[in-house]
Amino acid sequence: MLAGKRVLLIIGGGIAAYKSLDLIRQLKKRGASVTPVLTAGAREFVTPLSAAALAGDKVYTDLFDLTDEAEMGHIELSRSADLLVVAPATADLIARMAGGHANDLASTVLLATDTPVMIAPAMNVRMWLHPANQRNVAQLEADGIIRIGPDEGDMACGEFGPGRMAEPAQIADAVEATLTDGPLKGRHVIVTSGPTHEPIDPVRYIANRSSGAQGSAIAEALVRLGARVTFVTGPASVPPPAGVELRLVETATQMKDVVEAALPADAAIFAAAVADWRVEGASNAKIKKTATGDVPTLALTENPDILATVSQRAEGRPKLVIGFAAETNDVVENATAKRARKGCDWIVANDVSPETGIMGGTENAVTLIDADGAEVWPRASKSEVAKRLAERIAEALGPA
């Protein structure tokens, strides 16, 4: 899939640098040529010799190497590839990119390039969540930088949380999606997925029964057609697809804010099962049972309507806004009314009544409702439903 494509791989100075050697192997296996650039910090974790042996190409390390500048200056190096990939992208490297610094070969190449750039962040969880780092990441995304990860998990430092570099296979998938032409090439699509968790207290929450499988399948199908996908997901039980710009949220309010920050987009697909209500004044401490058995009263307030908010935007509305309607009865009637009420273009209605066995399963039976009426699709796997929907979206949007 990547035959003839050239990737300039910038390896930052973090423990995750060892994964970049596997990334070189993954990219080479798919047909890409890989030219590594190692920062000074990266050379503390991997050697230029190992990177060169796997890449089958020269490794570049020094901005002021007279031989390299004579043979292939940093300007030419920055523009000779189809894609620049920074993996791992450390907090320091991200900060220098956001600030437009050019004080070593890696940062100079990144500043001098006119080709797409992808970063795979990797750092301690506290560093990742620090406001300064989040500002820097937001600036890079505003500049059009593609981000893959980070994942959540155990850290080399012994902590747990977001900050792990995405796995090499995931990054290679994202590279493939970025460099592969398709009918949605150049299109930006927002997909929401999974449930939201609305806290009652620090240990309890209100949620919907959603695995996130359908939303994840839709995002993956869109990526395969060449779209740039911002994937906004609540706490789903299925892993997010590779190749998306991942945004993790917990609550409906957070999801709304992240979706609006991701605009503009060509299309927005709201497959998340957003909780309709949240607890007003959720407790900051665990609510205890009383000796008398008194049951606490929860005052609920309505959550923001994300689908309606985006559908009814006066400015910056996506060309195509698609909602989902999980119904247990009168599916077409209820979903048609929802489409009119929300102001979206399409509604994907699915029958989740107990007798269908669909809720939590691997299949879906949907009806696509648009201005022309209702189109019943046969029951199929969620990946097949996603593929068909992605193709319809590509047809509706046309070439970028």
Side-chain angles (χ1 to χ4, degrees):
M1 294 294 291
L2 292 176
K5 301 297 184 182
R6 294 169 295 177
V7 175
L8 186 70
L9 176 61
I10 297 172
I11 304 176
I15 186 63
Y18 79 92
K19 289 185 177 181
S20 296
L21 299 180
D22 187 30
L23 177 58
I24 294 173
R25 184 183 64 81
Q26 296 265 359
L27 294 172
K28 293 283 289 182
K29 184 178 180 180
R30 300 179 192 216
S33 60
V34 181
T35 300
V37 171
L38 271 64
T39 65
R43 298 197 296 274
E44 299 292 328
F45 297 95
V46 297
T47 66
L49 181 60
S50 59
L54 288 167
D57 197 358
K58 181 174 181 176
V59 172
Y60 294 84
T61 59
D62 191 353
L63 177 61
F64 299 108
D65 187 308
L66 295 180
T67 301
D68 288 346
E69 284 298 294
E71 293 177 353
M72 186 184 212
H74 62 271
I75 299 296
E76 178 61 27
L77 184 64
S78 72
R79 301 176 188 175
S80 61
D82 298 292
L83 179 68
L84 274 64
V85 178
V86 186
T90 62
D92 176 69
L93 195 45
I94 287 172
R96 287 190 284 142
M97 290 175 68
H101 295 190
N103 51 10
D104 65 357
L105 180 59
S107 57
T108 301
V109 164
L110 287 162
L111 191 62
T113 193
D114 58 0
T115 54
V117 178
M118 176 184 296
I119 62 170
M123 63 196 73
N124 170 269
V125 58
R126 301 300 174 197
M127 296 173 72
W128 171 252
L129 295 175
H130 194 283
N133 183 67
Q134 290 298 304
R135 285 197 303 271
N136 291 334
V137 171
Q139 181 60 59
L140 294 185
E141 289 172 348
D143 293 342
I145 302 296
I146 304 164
R147 173 166 68 88
I148 175 72
D151 292 342
E152 185 174 282
D154 293 317
M155 305 281 181
C157 59
E159 294 191 80
F160 180 93
R164 286 171 55 94
M165 189 173 93
E167 292 303 314
Q170 288 180 283
I171 302 172
D173 285 343
V175 170
E176 190 173 299
T178 301
L179 294 179
T180 301
D181 289 330
L184 288 174
K185 188 75 172 180
R187 296 294 193 181
H188 176 213
V189 184
I190 299 170
V191 179
T192 69
S193 184
T196 62
H197 287 180
E198 310 299 331
I200 297 171
D201 61 22
V203 298
R204 303 180 181 94
Y205 55 82
I206 298 171
N208 287 331
R209 298 188 183 189
S210 172
S211 66
Q214 187 64 82
S216 185
I218 291 168
E220 182 176 7
L222 292 166
V223 167
R224 290 186 179 278
L225 295 185
R228 176 171 73 89
V229 177
T230 300
F231 187 63
V232 186
T233 180
S237 59
V238 299
V244 299
E245 297 176 13
L246 182 62
R247 305 289 184 272
L248 299 174
V249 299
E250 290 276 341
T251 69
T253 300
Q254 291 171 354
M255 183 171 283
K256 173 182 176 291
D257 291 344
V258 171
V259 166
E260 290 188 317
L263 292 169
D266 297 288
I269 305 168
F270 295 97
V274 180
D276 293 312
W277 305 281
R278 67 182 184 274
V279 176
E280 190 172 17
S283 175
N284 292 323
K286 182 181 177 181
I287 301 172
K288 298 288 188 179
K289 290 183 178 180
T290 64
T292 58
D294 293 336
V295 178
T297 300
L298 301 178
L300 301 180
T301 187
E302 194 170 3
N303 265 326
D305 191 325
I306 307 172
L307 173 60
T309 298
V310 174
S311 296
Q312 298 169 22
R313 284 177 69 97
E315 296 181 4
R317 183 192 190 276
K319 180 180 178 181
L320 186 61
V321 179
I322 303 171
F324 269 66
E327 303 289 349
T328 57
N329 59 281
D330 301 324
V331 175
V332 173
E333 294 82 356
N334 287 337
T336 300
K338 180 176 181 178
R339 176 183 172 274
R341 188 170 64 252
K342 304 293 186 181
C344 58
D345 301 295
W346 300 353
I347 283 283
V348 180
N350 54 325
D351 186 345
V352 295
S353 56
E355 55 268 23
T356 66
I358 281 176
M359 182 62 79
T362 60
E363 293 184 328
N364 217 341
V366 306
T367 301
L368 181 65
I369 297 169
D370 59 17
D372 297 323
E375 178 184 326
V376 179
W377 291 2
R379 182 164 177 158
S381 68
K382 290 182 177 180
S383 60
E384 284 298 317
V385 171
K387 180 175 180 291
R388 184 167 179 174
L389 182 61
E391 290 170 349
R392 288 291 295 270
I393 292 168
E395 181 182 341
L397 292 178

